[in-house]
Amino acid sequence: MRILELGKFYPPYKGGMEILLECWSRGFVRRGAEVNCVVANTSGQTVHEVLDGVHVHRLASHGTLLSTSVCPGYLGATKRFPADVWQAHFPNPLADLACLRGDSKTPLVLTYHSDIVRQSSVLRFYRPILKRLLERADAIVVAT
C-alpha cells in the first residue's frame, strides 16, 4: 500500500503534530507500506531524504503567512506522489488545498489536531475550504 502523509513539518522539527506524523509514518513502513511524507522545509530549498524507511519530501518554503508556510510546490503534492490513500494533518491550508486539487477518488483520512484559533479572523474566508475538506474526507481521526 502507498500512503501519502501531508503534514506541516517533520522531525527534527519539534511539535506535537510532527511527532505523531513521524510515529504513524514509521509504523506504516514497519507494516510494509510505502510512505511518502510531504512537508514544508524551513528554508528555500527542497530536500528529499529517507528516514527510517519514510520518504520525506521537505519542499522549499519562502517564509510564513498566518502560521502557514509559503510553499507553492506543496499544492501539487497529491498529483506528484501517487498513493492509495492520503492522510492530511489538519490544520494545514496547504494540505487542504492539495487534497481538494487531487483525484477525488483517492481515499482521504483527515487527522484533526486542533481547531483554528489564532487565525480566527480569516476563518470566514477559509470556512468554505474547510467545509469542502470535511465533506471530502472518508474518515476523520481526532488526536485526543
Side-chain angles (χ1 to χ4, degrees), residues 24 85-89 99 107-111 136-141:
W24 282 14
V85 64
W86 302 330
Q87 181 170 15
H89 295 265
C99 289
L108 169 62
V109 176
L110 182 65
T111 303
R136 162 71 177 87
D138 293 281
I140 300 172
V141 179

Side-chain angles (χ1 to χ4, degrees), residues 104-124:
S104 62
K105 294 181 181 114
T106 303
L108 169 62
V109 176
L110 182 65
T111 303
Y112 200 103
H113 292 267
S114 70
D115 289 328
I116 298 172
V117 178
R118 283 185 288 152
Q119 299 81 10
S120 61
S121 61
V122 297
L123 192 55
R124 65 182 169 158

Side-chain angles (χ1 to χ4, degrees), residues 54-127:
V54 179
H55 297 264
V56 179
H57 309 280
R58 300 177 197 272
L59 304 181
S61 177
H62 307 287
T64 59
L65 178 64
L66 298 170
S67 298
T68 300
S69 295
V70 179
C71 186
Y74 202 117
L75 299 177
T78 54
K79 295 178 183 181
R80 197 171 32 237
F81 302 101
D84 300 309
V85 64
W86 302 330
Q87 181 170 15
H89 295 265
F90 180 88
N92 183 353
L94 292 174
D96 304 344
L97 291 171
C99 289
L100 293 174
R101 293 183 69 214
D103 185 354
S104 62
K105 294 181 181 114
T106 303
L108 169 62
V109 176
L110 182 65
T111 303
Y112 200 103
H113 292 267
S114 70
D115 289 328
I116 298 172
V117 178
R118 283 185 288 152
Q119 299 81 10
S120 61
S121 61
V122 297
L123 192 55
R124 65 182 169 158
F125 302 108
Y126 186 67
R127 190 169 280 118

Side-chain angles (χ1 to χ4, degrees), residues 41-55:
N41 200 354
T42 55
S43 74
Q45 294 181 314
T46 293
V47 176
H48 304 280
E49 56 191 336
V50 180
L51 301 170
D52 297 318
V54 179
H55 297 264

